[in-house]
Amino acid sequence: MTYRAGWIHYTNVAPILDSLTLPAGVTAITGVPTQMNAALLSGEVDIANISAVEFIRHADVLEALPDFSVAVLGPVYSVNLFHTVPLERMRRVALTRQSAMSVALLEVLLAARGLSPTLERAEGEAEDLLASGYDGVLRIGDSALREWYRVAGPLTPETTMTMLPHEGRGITVTDLAEEWFRLTGHPFVFAVWAYRRDNPPPPALVQAMREARRHGIGHLADVAARHARKLGLPERVVQHYLWNFRYHLEAPDRLGLHEFAAQAVPGHAPLRFGPQPGGERRHVLSASADTLKP
Ligand SMILES: C=C(O[C@@H]1C=C(C(=O)O)C=C[C@H]1O)C(=O)O
């Protein structure tokens, strides 16, 4: 029987997906987060890198791979609120239809500041929507990355590579992952690789994903160069964008995920993850470390 994957194919997943060879018996489709979230829940696909908030909302039926994430500690550059007035003065904010996660995150961040602007779904370029009367525009993914650079670029040789600029052209870009870090001190997990608990992925697929990720992270400059051309952005910018991601759902990422879950979806079912890889090898390592004790 065929196992069907649904990939959100934003540039931030390129270090995993670009060199992924699907094993026999696995097929894949691609789409934006809201499409892949729905495809997984309706059963159209069997595994997808879905918005973490959908994983949390459906924790009663879903499980996630224990070592895959799209996460950052600090700014992400592609989940952006573009605004022309201070956050406190925003009255109408346009939301993207592509994203579940960023909307839930924005709601948490606004609530933390005691703010409640009107939130409406509206598509289009951030600058056009701001010109048409919105005070804020939420955008994600590749178009948000491009629009951030249009506002805050071009980078000068002196621009620090640890924190890129966030304003220009009369527009401030509030990076939601950076705001989350300021609020909690935790990483923010945007996506996990989830599947229905009664239908886990074949081990060959997970193995292929781990190999593809190892290859992608090992050749990040090549991945960045390829995607910089597609995005029409400088290689240096895309390289910075990509090396900033945390793809392994490590302990700090899980802390961030649990903190977000508690704030955004109170009363959610316990989050479940599949078995950790390489358990045996770790056991052997700790045994040999024991033998080194004096
Ligand atoms: C950081 C991003 O992460 C993505 C954002 C998602 C969302 O907002 O629902 C879902 C999957 C992530 O891969 C981005 O694409 O900008």
Side-chain angles (χ1 to χ4, degrees):
M1 213 180 75
T2 306
Y3 196 82
R4 297 149 307 167
W7 304 142
I8 296 170
H9 61 311
Y10 289 147
T11 300
N12 56 48
V13 209
I16 300 174
L17 292 187
D18 275 13
S19 49
L20 177 63
T21 308
L22 292 176
V26 180
T27 59
I29 59 168
T30 58
V32 300
T34 39
Q35 290 167 333
M36 291 305 103
N37 299 342
L40 180 67
L41 291 166
S42 71
E44 191 191 330
V45 300
D46 302 310
I47 185 169
N49 48 329
I50 65 167
S51 308
V53 71
E54 288 298 296
F55 168 61
I56 297 163
R57 285 182 185 137
H58 301 279
D60 52 334
V61 289
L62 297 179
E63 185 170 280
L65 293 179
D67 60 331
F68 275 87
S69 55
V70 174
V72 289
L73 179 65
V76 61
Y77 303 101
S78 62
V79 180
N80 295 327
L81 182 67
F82 298 85
H83 51 110
T84 46
V85 297
L87 296 178
E88 289 67 27
R89 298 221 321 262
M90 289 189 315
R91 280 162 302 125
R92 274 175 78 219
V93 175
L95 306 176
T96 168
R97 283 196 179 84
Q98 294 188 9
S99 164
M101 194 65 211
S102 62
V103 174
L105 175 55
L106 180 64
E107 283 169 348
V108 164
L109 296 172
L110 290 171
R113 288 171 179 253
L115 303 176
S116 49
T118 307
L119 305 178
E120 300 166 15
R121 300 267 176 185
E123 290 307 325
E125 297 276 312
E127 282 196 65
D128 295 343
L129 290 167
L130 289 172
S132 78
Y134 284 101
D135 305 309
V137 179
L138 179 64
R139 287 293 173 266
I140 68 155
D142 294 353
S143 59
L145 181 66
R146 270 200 230 99
E147 291 203 60
W148 157 72
Y149 191 72
R150 198 186 312 145
V151 167
L155 302 186
T156 63
E158 298 79 45
T159 306
T160 164
M161 288 303 279
T162 49
M163 180 71 196
L164 303 181
H166 277 82
E167 56 193 357
R169 300 163 72 103
I171 298 172
T172 301
V173 186
T174 291
D175 183 312
L176 297 199
E178 168 76 5
E179 283 294 301
W180 171 258
F181 174 68
R182 289 201 184 139
L183 185 68
T184 65
H186 292 309
F188 193 80
V189 178
F190 285 95
V192 294
W193 270 252
Y195 46 88
R196 288 177 305 282
R197 204 177 308 144
D198 57 6
N199 186 24
L205 172 59
V206 183
Q207 181 64 21
M209 287 169 56
R210 289 186 182 128
E211 277 162 23
R213 178 178 57 191
R214 199 158 38 239
H215 185 273
I217 293 175
H219 296 81
L220 208 57
D222 298 339
V223 179
R226 206 163 44 240
H227 286 273
R229 275 194 297 281
K230 278 196 207 158
L231 293 166
L233 290 172
E235 276 181 33
R236 183 159 99 95
V237 168
V238 179
Q239 203 165 310
H240 179 102
Y241 177 61
L242 291 180
W243 81 38
N244 189 43
F245 281 101
R246 303 168 56 87
Y247 291 114
H248 293 79
L249 192 61
E250 291 167 280
D253 306 306
R254 286 191 193 214
L255 267 180
L257 182 65
H258 282 284
E259 177 64 33
F260 177 75
Q263 292 201 28
V265 193
H268 66 84
L271 306 185
R272 294 185 191 230
F273 301 92
Q276 283 283 354
E280 267 178 51
R281 200 170 332 135
R282 265 206 312 281
H283 179 72
V284 172
L285 269 180
S286 61
S288 61
D290 280 349
T291 61
L292 292 176
K293 274 186 194 150

